[in-house]
Each structure stands twice: as C-alpha cells, then as structure tokens.
Amino acid sequence: MAGEALTATGYIQHHLQNMTYGKLPAGYTRADGSVLSESTWTMAHSSQEAADMGFWALHVDTLGWSIGLGLIFCFLFARAAKKASVDKPTGFQSFVELVTEFIDKLVKETFPHRNTMVAPMALTIFVWVFLMNLMDLVPVDWLPMAAAKVSGNDHLFFKVVPTTDPNATLGMALAVFALMIFFSIREKGALGFLKELTLHPFHTGKLFFDILLIPVNFLLEAVSLIAKPISLGLRLFGNLYAGEMIFILIAIVFGVGVLGFIGAGLLHMGWAIFHVLVIVLQAFVFMVLSTVYMAMAHHRDDEHEHDQ
C-alpha cells in the first residue's frame, strides 16, 4: 500500500477485502494478466478473483485471527485456573473469577434448566467475541502494513477483525442454531418438536381445524426459527462492520495535512472510547441471546421448570 498512491475509494476497498484462498479454474485470466493453464488453489490477488473463487474459498485472515484469539482465551483462562490461589490471588485471577461469576449468575437467571454445557458455552462466547471485537481498536493500518512488510507484498489483503466478516458471525450463529435444534429434539422428542412447529401459535383442539392450520403454523414457526441465527449473526456483523468503516474513514483524514492529522487523531480517540462500549455490548448481546435460545430449546409446555 505504501508503494502506490491509492484513492480514498481504493483504500477503503483494500481494507474491506479479506485475504482469500481458493480455487481458480483453468483458463482464468488473473489480475496481472497471466492465464492459468490448469485449475489452481491460490491466494486472490484482487477482490474480483476472491469473488470468482466462489463459496468454498477460505478467508485466511478471519480463520487465523479467530482461531488464534480462541487459543489465547483458552490458554489464559486455563493458566489462571491452574495457578489459582485463595491466599494470594493475582489481579488476573480476580478478573477471571469476576467474569466467570458474572456469566454464571446471568445464566442461572436466564436459563432455568439443567444443562452443564450452557454456562461454559456462554463464557466462551462472551470472551471469544469480545477478543475478536477488541481487534477493532488496533489502528487500521498497523497490522496490515506489518503483514505486508513481512510477506514482501505491498498489496496484501489482511483484515484483523473476524467479527467484521459475515462468514464468522453467521458461522457462530449457525452453531448456536444447530445446538437449538439438537436440544429441542433431545428435550421434547422428534414428535414434540414437530408439534411445536405445526400446532403453534394457532391451536383449536379440534383435529379438523388443527390440520387446516398446520401449513400456516409451520410457515410462521419456520420463519421465526430461521430468523434467530440470521439476526444473531447479522447484528454482530453490522455493528462491528460499521465501527470498522468509521475507523477507516478517520484514517483517510490523517493524510489531509497537519490539521487533518490533528483532527483525525482526536476523532480516532473519541470514537475508540465510544467503541469500547460497542465492543463489550455486542459480545454481551450475542452471549445473552444464545443463552435465551438455549432456554427456549429446553422449554416444554407440559412441565414446570424450577431454578437450578
């Protein structure tokens, strides 16, 4: 990026493009004008190449940062648990205990059922999503420029905020959705789950009318069910993507003279302070909604649940 003067539009497009690895067909003309003699798995050199790679292309930066941050979370929390001391607790141990107790209390209030997986899932979602969101506070050019220097490729695509990629947010949402379906069938049985989809919200108790209402009920329930993971994933993506866009726009102002540099610095600081709230809130919302969906999957109309 440093070796070529980009327009504002080109700068924005460059920062919004993921590092993509995928397959290009034989005879494909690449961005540099070369023609592939056979189908090849390769890194995309342009946004058009990334689009032409299709559904099975991998966003290497999203996968790398999300997996790496997940491993950091596991390492730090496991280390805190291993070195936990009642007599001389460290500051980080106290922080881990505070987060864990907060999540545990919230899950007990939101999830009045028995499932030992839900609380650890909620803790993992909150911390993992928070860490991915936190990468948005790193100045937009620092890590991409460092990666470009290390690789020797000034035009390297490199996004560092996994939650600004809908593939990541929808992937997590679909995992929550799969757990919803699994626990719904496990707790209510296949027949009970089917009744939930076909006999609600309209139910008369008369067989003939209930049969007529099945298509209407199924349509309403199916739309409601499918909307849950889509809204869950897109809400997180939309908020973080908008935040990233503002940081990119502020970064452009840095190059507009001395006054622009000073103004951009103040804007960046102000937006970063406000964005801290967005980062925490979106991780919290994703975690709470996931827990609520688990509670809905465990809820049965034919029995009364008690607090854990």
Side-chain angles (χ1 to χ4, degrees), residues 105-163:
K105 181 180 178 181
L106 184 65
V107 170
K108 286 180 178 179
E109 294 174 353
T110 311
F111 184 81
H113 307 275
R114 294 189 180 277
N115 189 326
T116 56
M117 191 211 75
V118 174
M121 181 199 73
L123 176 64
T124 301
I125 288 175
F126 177 74
V127 179
W128 193 26
V129 173
F130 170 76
L131 289 175
M132 289 190 285
N133 292 350
L134 189 64
M135 298 304 296
D136 211 10
L137 295 184
V138 179
V140 294
D141 279 326
W142 285 10
L143 293 177
M145 288 180 68
K149 288 185 179 298
V150 170
S151 66
N153 179 8
D154 289 340
H155 304 283
L156 182 73
F157 297 119
F158 195 66
K159 289 183 67 176
V160 299
V161 188
T163 43

Side-chain angles (χ1 to χ4, degrees), residues 181-247:
I181 301 300
F182 172 77
F183 285 121
S184 291
I185 295 175
R186 193 190 75 171
E187 296 296 319
K188 306 164 188 176
L191 182 59
F193 180 58
L194 185 62
K195 286 182 178 179
E196 190 176 77
L197 291 177
T198 56
L199 298 179
H200 294 86
F202 303 115
H203 178 61
T204 65
K206 298 180 179 180
L207 182 61
F208 175 75
F209 289 106
D210 285 342
I211 292 176
L212 292 178
L213 290 171
I214 283 177
V216 177
N217 286 332
F218 180 76
L219 178 62
L220 293 175
E221 290 295 322
V223 170
S224 175
L225 189 65
I226 294 172
K228 287 182 175 62
I230 294 176
S231 62
L232 184 64
L234 291 183
R235 180 185 294 104
L236 177 60
F237 161 71
N239 281 278
L240 270 296
Y241 186 85
E244 182 186 43
M245 275 296 303
I246 293 176
F247 277 124

Side-chain angles (χ1 to χ4, degrees), residues 23-304:
K23 187 176 183 179
L24 292 174
Y28 185 88
T29 302
R30 304 205 65 178
D32 58 5
S34 61
V35 180
L36 298 177
S37 58
E38 58 183 14
S39 59
T40 306
W41 285 88
T42 182
M43 288 289 187
H45 292 173
S46 67
S47 57
Q48 184 59 51
E49 285 189 10
D52 292 339
M53 286 175 174
F55 178 79
W56 294 110
L58 301 175
H59 288 177
V60 180
D61 43 12
T62 295
L63 289 171
W65 281 108
S66 58
I67 294 172
L69 292 169
L71 292 175
I72 290 173
F73 156 62
C74 292
F75 171 77
L76 292 178
F77 273 60
R79 183 178 176 84
K82 185 177 180 180
K83 294 183 175 294
S85 171
V86 177
D87 300 325
K88 296 181 179 181
T90 63
F92 184 69
Q93 177 189 328
S94 300
F95 171 74
V96 170
E97 290 176 352
L98 178 66
V99 173
T100 303
E101 290 173 3
F102 170 72
I103 299 297
D104 184 62
K105 181 180 178 181
L106 184 65
V107 170
K108 286 180 178 179
E109 294 174 353
T110 311
F111 184 81
H113 307 275
R114 294 189 180 277
N115 189 326
T116 56
M117 191 211 75
V118 174
M121 181 199 73
L123 176 64
T124 301
I125 288 175
F126 177 74
V127 179
W128 193 26
V129 173
F130 170 76
L131 289 175
M132 289 190 285
N133 292 350
L134 189 64
M135 298 304 296
D136 211 10
L137 295 184
V138 179
V140 294
D141 279 326
W142 285 10
L143 293 177
M145 288 180 68
K149 288 185 179 298
V150 170
S151 66
N153 179 8
D154 289 340
H155 304 283
L156 182 73
F157 297 119
F158 195 66
K159 289 183 67 176
V160 299
V161 188
T163 43
T164 59
D165 185 350
N167 293 282
T169 59
L170 288 174
M172 291 187 292
L174 288 174
V176 173
F177 180 70
L179 288 173
M180 281 180 57
I181 301 300
F182 172 77
F183 285 121
S184 291
I185 295 175
R186 193 190 75 171
E187 296 296 319
K188 306 164 188 176
L191 182 59
F193 180 58
L194 185 62
K195 286 182 178 179
E196 190 176 77
L197 291 177
T198 56
L199 298 179
H200 294 86
F202 303 115
H203 178 61
T204 65
K206 298 180 179 180
L207 182 61
F208 175 75
F209 289 106
D210 285 342
I211 292 176
L212 292 178
L213 290 171
I214 283 177
V216 177
N217 286 332
F218 180 76
L219 178 62
L220 293 175
E221 290 295 322
V223 170
S224 175
L225 189 65
I226 294 172
K228 287 182 175 62
I230 294 176
S231 62
L232 184 64
L234 291 183
R235 180 185 294 104
L236 177 60
F237 161 71
N239 281 278
L240 270 296
Y241 186 85
E244 182 186 43
M245 275 296 303
I246 293 176
F247 277 124
I248 293 173
L249 293 174
I250 292 174
I252 294 175
V253 183
F254 273 105
V256 187
V258 177
L259 291 178
F261 186 89
I262 296 173
L266 294 174
L267 286 173
H268 188 279
M269 183 180 299
W271 179 246
I273 293 172
F274 173 77
H275 203 54
V276 170
L277 300 176
V278 177
I279 286 170
V280 178
L281 180 61
Q282 290 306 313
F284 178 78
V285 169
F286 197 98
M287 179 269 295
V288 168
L289 288 179
S290 298
T291 306
V292 169
Y293 293 158
M294 291 299 104
M296 292 171 64
H298 284 73
H299 177 72
R300 296 169 61 179
D301 294 331
D302 59 348
E303 66 178 26
H304 297 282

